[in-house]
């Protein structure tokens, strides 16, 4: 994890970050990360976990995991 963070911190701006991410991630990984961010956004809006799973076509376990991760981020 530390190596990934150091790698990403090399980006000077958004364009450089996009270039780093394209070199690091497959298109599928980018898609999955985008879904994770959508889960975070919908949870923040108060959308139920079941509704999120239905809207995004993901399992409830994925949404629950996202909910736990979001709570951890908010506690920091």
């Amino acid at each position: 994890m530390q190596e990934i963070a150091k790698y990403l911190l090399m980006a000077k701006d958004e364009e450089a970050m996009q270039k780093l991410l394209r070199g690091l991630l497959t298109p599928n990984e980018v898609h999955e990360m985008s879904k994770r961010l959508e889960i975070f956004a919908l949870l923040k809006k108060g959308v139920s976990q079941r509704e999120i799973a239905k809207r995004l076509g993901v399992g409830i376990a994925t949404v629950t995991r996202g909910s736990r991760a979001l709570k951890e981020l908010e506690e920091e």
Side-chain angles (χ1 to χ4, degrees):
M1 185 69 78
Q2 187 176 5
E3 288 179 32
I4 295 169
K6 284 182 182 179
Y7 175 77
L8 294 176
L9 285 170
M10 292 185 332
K12 299 177 191 115
D13 55 31
E14 184 178 338
E15 186 177 325
M17 177 64 73
Q18 289 181 21
K19 186 175 180 180
L20 289 175
L21 289 170
R22 276 194 301 273
L24 183 64
L25 303 170
T26 66
N28 188 54
E29 289 167 333
V30 171
H31 179 72
E32 291 303 315
M33 287 179 69
S34 295
K35 273 194 178 180
R36 181 80 41 87
L37 293 173
E38 285 184 74
I39 290 169
F40 287 173
L42 291 170
L43 286 167
K44 286 180 181 180
K45 289 181 182 178
V47 178
S48 75
Q49 290 190 21
R50 289 187 191 282
E51 178 62 24
I52 293 170
K54 182 179 171 183
R55 282 190 201 181
L56 300 181
V58 298
I60 191 73
T62 301
V63 180
T64 300
R65 184 172 139 209
S67 178
R68 274 190 256 122
L70 183 60
K71 286 178 186 174
E72 288 177 15
L73 287 172
E74 291 174 344
E75 290 174 359
E76 291 180 354

